Amino acid sequence: MAEPKIKYDRQLRIWGEKGQAALEKASICLLNCGPTGSETLKNLVLGGIGSITVIDGSKVEVGDLGNNFMELNDAVKAKFIEEYPDALIETNPSFFSQFTLVIATQLGEDSMVKLDRICREANVKLIFARSYGLTGFVRISLKVCVLTLKLVIEMFSPSWHSGKHYVNLQKIYQAKAESDVLVIEQRVRNILKKIGRDPDSISKTSIRTFCKNARKLTICRYRLIEDEFNSPIQPELQKYLTDEDYSLAVGFYILLRAVDRFAANYNSFPGQFDGEMDEDISRLKTTAVGLLSDLGCNGLTLTEDLINEMCRFGAAELHAVAAFIGGIASQEVIKLITKQFVPMCGTFIFNGIDHKSQLLSL
Amino acid sequence: MDRIEVSNLNRQFLFRLQDVGKPKAEVAAKRVMERVSGVNIVPHFCRIEDKDLDFYNDFSIIVLGLDSIEARSYINAVACSFLEYDSEENPQEETIKPMVDGGTEGFKGHARVIMPGVTPCFECTIWLFPPQVKFPLCTLAETPRTAAHCIEYAHLIKWDEVHSGKTFDPDDPEHMKWVYSEAVKRAELFGIPGVTYSLTQGVVKNIIPAIASTNAIISAACALETLKIASGCSKTLSNYLTYNGVEGLHTKVTEFARDKDCLVCGPGVLIELDTSVTLQKFIDLLEEHPKLLISKASVTHRGKSLYMQAPPVLEEMTRSNLSLPLFDIMDKTAKDIVHVTGTTINKGTKTSCLRKLRVVFKGIDGVTDMDTAGGA
Ligand SMILES: [Zn+2]
């Protein structure tokens, strides 16, 4: 076994021992281990995530992957369960409460909505990832994420030229910071007492860290998937639909949802089977128009080109696209677990045609 | 020419602990061929400069996983050297050698597609890679403010004061420990926190932090662009993608423009010669040419080595050409492209370089007289 300090040196320089310890403590559940799932997992296993549990319905994937993954990093504990994620969400929702974070790949809308509710209730972090032809998305879902960022702040410009004054000033700052910590500590203890909790349940170290980083305190909030699906934020949606920079990305967003409706109606994805292309194109167009009208965008249509393109994808999970989507997803997992960097907000829509991907806040 | 190190294992997923010390190219080729049936990968464990132009010309696309500006510059010049222009100064499509480049640092990265003659080459946008900012010596000597200042003081100033004449070796742990302990003393003196052994190594060796996920994102973008160029299944990135995941998620595509005067991806520096000029005289001329300044030049014409500085066997074989007129050894062609490799001085340091030259012989078929005197 390699000395972890050396093996992880290049990443310890980014998130430090504390970030690494958080990763090593984390327990991750991955739903579906196709290209997108395995590419996500690969990056986390390499980085030394604590343990992974993989849920996949297909025997081949599960059998194959076990060995491949464990070869990457023998420090990671792994469990492979042969079961369909959709069925697990339906029959055993409490299963998910044991994890730090769930990564759900290639799920349909129905299962996404259900899993989102389960994870919110159990206070488990959740991230969705899906690859579809040359497009796909990544979306974080959790109640709220509060971060104290690790930042190197250059307090003075390089023109500040006297070391002695600088150090004196630094001492003044330190004294002030210390007295601030005492004030905040007093308040924290009072609040804890008031709400009936042990006044010492939050350590002085935690309070000091919090104060030190208060300037860079960040709060991210995420809407319930169900809310976004049923009532996307109208002004934002209208803006995206009319802004040229967003037109492709928002088109893909609508179509990624439309293909799930399509699949529910016709038992296959558009363009999935040869010989039905023309019919699928017109069906997908009708489905997309219907969806847009449900979202309060009556009369709007998407371009023929985009609909044709979506049908051409035929629900294929291209490996290079899966690697990109999986890369983005694992990066956000790392940020959610190490809690030193701001995770993305909104839905990331990948555009593999010209790479003009966008974050949509709906 | 890299070999596998333990610190690669947190992201370079083709390598295992038992591979440490082995050539990366060989292990990577073997691993991929074991996993993917039907694929053939030929590893070359050598410097990129060791291969001749013909080697690179055999490929349809060149994908760059390089870690330095110098290496990128070199391969860029190689790919651009194949580019030829028609009489209307438009690039000839069959001579365009596409390049796909990617790079990462921590949570940031870039991917780009270079179509020589069409989109900017690496040299057109060299300003995107400014030289590393070093700390001013006066800051290190008099007013250190950060842990890095203390480390660089020990590394750049104190080392030379104490070890007169002995060069600092960053790979010698004793040297590194010495710099670390001096940096700690310095930091204590000025009340500066944060000097650790790991940071000392990072600052002195200029270690770039790296993680699996950023590399996955960038290499996926490079792979996707390469597949699109090869298959023509979709339009490609035009032409520069940046990714930044430090605060939220930002991806941006910028369409950079070509530098019309670029020496590398342009039609090539025009050199007019009398038909009597010998190859030796031509080589001397390259050293003095203000746009080129190439010393120790090797010269090739249409894949044929006219003169090679190395290896010794080739040098000996081509030496007799030196005294012959260039016009004769170029088969009496009135004008043509000639490739020259050698060394040049770039910002004070010697670097390998490759230049494409348009050699035109005066007074042949009246070509040059018309071309050059036309506007006068
Ligand atoms: Zn250029």
Side-chain angles (χ1 to χ4, degrees):
Chain A
M1 210 165 120
E3 170 70 44
K5 263 198 172 151
I6 304 174
K7 181 161 99 177
Y8 298 134
D9 178 84
R10 297 303 186 265
Q11 67 196 47
L12 288 170
R13 289 173 191 281
I14 302 176
W15 52 66
E17 309 264 353
K18 220 174 160 188
Q20 189 64 31
L23 284 175
E24 285 167 18
K25 235 175 61 192
S27 162
I28 305 283
C29 176
L30 173 75
L31 301 184
N32 285 325
C33 205
T36 309
S38 50
E39 287 294 333
T40 311
L41 205 56
K42 180 195 79 188
N43 302 325
L44 297 171
V45 169
L46 285 166
I49 201 88
S51 75
I52 55 165
T53 302
V54 179
I55 317 289
D56 192 295
S58 82
K59 212 173 207 134
V60 188
E61 304 276 7
V62 169
D64 248 20
L65 282 168
N67 295 331
N68 289 338
F69 273 115
M70 291 318 95
E71 227 185 76
L72 288 180
N73 192 345
D74 52 13
V76 178
K77 286 196 279 301
K79 201 160 133 192
F80 294 85
I81 300 173
E82 192 192 325
E83 184 159 1
Y84 287 99
D86 292 334
L88 190 66
I89 291 167
E90 205 64 58
T91 59
N92 191 4
S94 61
F95 172 81
F96 297 100
S97 59
Q98 60 184 299
F99 301 105
T100 319
L101 185 148
V102 175
I103 305 166
T105 70
Q106 308 299 94
L107 280 195
E109 271 196 13
D110 273 355
S111 295
M112 280 176 71
V113 167
K114 282 175 192 156
L115 182 64
D116 191 34
R117 268 202 236 112
I118 294 168
C119 289
R120 289 261 171 147
E121 230 156 81
N123 217 358
V124 171
K125 299 179 176 88
L126 175 60
I127 186 161
F128 296 104
R130 185 162 181 186
S131 310
Y132 194 104
L134 288 173
T135 185
F137 65 82
V138 178
R139 161 73 145 87
I140 292 173
S141 190
L142 52 134
K143 255 181 219 145
V144 64
C145 173
V146 182
L147 300 163
T148 48
L149 301 174
K150 176 192 161 189
L151 269 189
V152 187
I153 304 162
E154 260 287 60
M155 270 212 281
F156 299 97
S157 68
S159 61
W160 184 269
H161 234 257
S162 172
K164 202 177 118 217
H165 287 311
Y166 173 80
V167 170
N168 283 341
L169 199 57
Q170 213 175 30
K171 279 180 187 152
I172 296 169
Y173 271 108
Q174 268 165 9
K176 171 75 177 130
E178 193 54 33
S179 74
D180 284 353
V181 170
L182 289 174
V183 172
I184 296 292
E185 189 188 2
Q186 198 53 51
R187 289 199 62 172
V188 169
R189 308 268 176 252
N190 286 342
I191 292 168
L192 284 170
K193 207 149 71 185
K194 225 182 269 174
I195 61 168
R197 281 181 53 186
D198 177 6
D200 294 323
S201 58
I202 297 175
S203 74
K204 179 147 189 176
T205 324
S206 298
I207 295 170
R208 183 172 282 128
T209 312
F210 183 89
C211 292
K212 205 172 145 191
N213 297 297
R215 224 153 37 114
K216 261 294 180 183
L217 198 70
T218 299
I219 299 172
C220 303
R221 288 176 208 282
Y222 300 90
R223 291 189 82 195
L224 261 174
I225 290 283
E226 193 173 13
D227 292 348
E228 177 182 325
F229 283 174
N230 293 336
S231 54
I233 299 166
Q234 278 304 322
E236 292 294 316
L237 184 59
Q238 296 301 334
K239 188 185 89 188
Y240 300 143
L241 284 163
T242 49
D243 185 336
E244 208 192 313
D245 288 345
Y246 284 87
S247 65
L248 254 149
V250 76
F252 278 135
Y253 176 83
I254 301 290
L255 287 172
L256 281 164
R257 296 194 48 195
V259 293
D260 277 353
R261 279 198 183 188
F262 186 109
N265 283 335
Y266 306 107
N267 286 318
S268 72
F269 285 100
Q272 204 172 8
F273 299 108
D274 291 340
E276 288 168 29
M277 195 54 109
D278 290 342
E279 202 179 357
D280 281 359
I281 289 173
S282 73
R283 280 171 168 173
L284 180 61
K285 195 173 173 180
T286 315
T287 312
V289 169
L291 175 66
L292 275 166
S293 120
D294 289 352
L295 297 177
C297 307
N298 273 314
L300 263 172
T301 49
L302 300 169
T303 66
E304 297 277 337
D305 280 357
L306 200 62
I307 289 171
N308 292 350
E309 187 72 356
M310 201 67 178
C311 288
R312 187 169 74 110
F313 294 162
E317 206 177 342
L318 301 176
H319 208 110
V321 172
F324 194 101
I325 297 284
I328 297 279
S330 54
Q331 191 84 290
E332 298 306 319
V333 169
I334 286 168
K335 290 197 263 174
L336 288 172
I337 290 175
T338 57
K339 293 186 183 170
Q340 297 169 6
F341 312 91
V342 186
M344 67 179 212
C345 267
T347 304
F348 173 75
I349 299 290
F350 177 64
N351 170 352
I353 297 172
D354 57 14
H355 281 281
K356 288 177 184 161
S357 306
Q358 293 289 359
L359 266 176
L360 307 181
S361 309
L362 293 168
Chain B
M1 184 107 148
D2 263 10
R3 286 174 186 277
I4 298 159
E5 292 172 33
V6 176
S7 63
N8 298 147
L9 301 179
N10 80 322
R11 61 194 187 282
Q12 299 178 11
F13 63 94
L14 294 172
F15 309 138
R16 310 280 175 266
L17 188 57
Q18 67 266 24
D19 302 325
V20 169
K22 292 180 194 162
K24 283 187 180 178
E26 287 166 17
V27 176
K30 182 171 154 272
R31 282 278 138 71
V32 176
M33 286 192 287
E34 279 166 6
R35 287 281 297 273
V36 187
S37 60
V39 68
N40 184 33
I41 301 175
V42 183
H44 297 271
F45 179 57
C46 62
R47 286 158 27 94
I48 53 170
E49 294 91 344
D50 292 345
K51 296 288 180 193
D52 58 20
L53 285 178
D54 278 353
F55 172 82
Y56 291 109
N57 204 11
D58 276 349
F59 300 97
S60 325
I61 304 167
I62 301 178
V63 184
L64 285 60
L66 301 168
D67 64 355
S68 76
I69 295 170
E70 293 73 27
R72 282 189 174 88
S73 246
Y74 185 80
I75 288 292
N76 177 68
V78 170
C80 291
S81 76
F82 305 126
L83 180 67
E84 290 181 30
Y85 286 79
D86 64 19
S87 53
E88 268 126 52
E89 301 272 294
N90 293 313
Q92 288 178 277
E93 192 151 344
E94 65 279 10
T95 66
I96 296 173
K97 182 82 64 195
M99 273 175 288
V100 180
D101 173 44
T104 72
E105 178 170 353
F107 281 117
K108 299 178 197 167
H110 82 267
R112 74 190 293 184
V113 171
I114 298 176
M115 297 283 182
V118 183
T119 66
C121 81
F122 184 74
E123 218 65 42
C124 288
T125 53
I126 192 79
W127 50 269
L128 283 166
F129 301 87
Q132 281 265 308
V133 187
K134 280 278 166 196
F135 306 113
L137 280 178
C138 68
T139 302
L140 301 185
E142 287 156 32
T143 56
R145 297 183 302 276
T146 66
H149 289 160
C150 301
I151 294 163
E152 282 297 58
Y153 169 81
H155 168 220
L156 298 172
I157 298 173
K158 190 80 182 179
W159 177 273
D160 284 338
E161 272 176 26
V162 176
H163 307 82
S164 54
K166 188 154 118 200
T167 354
F168 174 79
D169 176 7
D171 292 321
D172 185 332
E174 288 308 313
H175 289 194
M176 195 62 84
K177 275 181 205 154
W178 187 89
V179 167
Y180 166 64
S181 68
E182 286 301 315
V184 168
K185 281 185 216 159
R186 181 90 174 151
E188 274 166 9
L189 187 67
F190 285 87
I192 296 168
V195 174
T196 61
Y197 186 70
S198 164
L199 184 69
T200 307
Q201 282 182 308
V203 170
V204 171
K205 295 171 103 168
N206 193 20
I207 293 174
I208 293 162
I211 47 181
S213 24
T214 311
N215 286 10
I217 293 165
I218 295 304
S219 57
C222 291
L224 183 60
E225 290 315 301
T226 308
L227 289 168
K228 288 195 290 183
I229 297 169
S231 69
C233 77
S234 177
K235 67 173 170 181
T236 52
L237 163 68
S238 182
N239 44 45
Y240 198 104
L241 168 72
T242 49
Y243 160 80
N244 187 340
V246 180
E247 281 199 44
L249 168 57
H250 304 272
T251 63
K252 189 173 187 287
V253 174
T254 311
E255 198 158 348
F256 286 115
R258 277 190 68 211
D259 173 2
K260 291 275 171 271
D261 298 323
C262 181
L263 283 185
V264 178
C265 67
V269 175
L270 182 71
I271 303 213
E272 290 182 277
L273 299 170
D274 288 319
T275 50
S276 60
V277 170
T278 62
L279 180 56
Q280 179 65 62
K281 176 80 186 121
F282 175 67
I283 289 171
D284 295 344
L285 209 135
L286 299 174
E287 199 157 356
E288 293 149 22
H289 195 291
K291 278 186 181 171
L292 299 170
L293 301 169
I294 299 175
S295 54
K296 292 224 174 91
S298 296
V299 184
T300 48
H301 172 238
R302 298 277 157 205
K304 194 176 118 193
S305 302
L306 303 187
Y307 179 68
M308 301 302 282
Q309 303 271 356
V313 194
L314 264 182
E315 197 280 330
E316 209 184 310
M317 276 168 65
T318 52
R319 196 186 301 154
S320 59
N321 280 341
L322 287 174
S323 57
L324 300 175
L326 183 61
F327 183 59
D328 292 355
I329 38 179
M330 282 174 64
D331 303 321
K332 299 196 195 285
T333 323
K335 59 175 194 180
D336 211 351
I337 302 278
V338 161
H339 291 114
V340 171
T341 54
T343 53
T344 192
I345 303 290
N346 187 2
K347 294 184 194 93
T349 49
K350 268 193 184 173
T351 48
S352 304
C353 81
L354 164 67
R355 289 289 178 265
K356 178 174 64 184
L357 310 176
R358 281 180 299 156
V359 173
V360 176
F361 292 101
K362 291 181 199 167
I364 304 300
D365 298 329
V367 175
T368 38
D369 292 336
M370 295 294 285
D371 279 357
T372 54

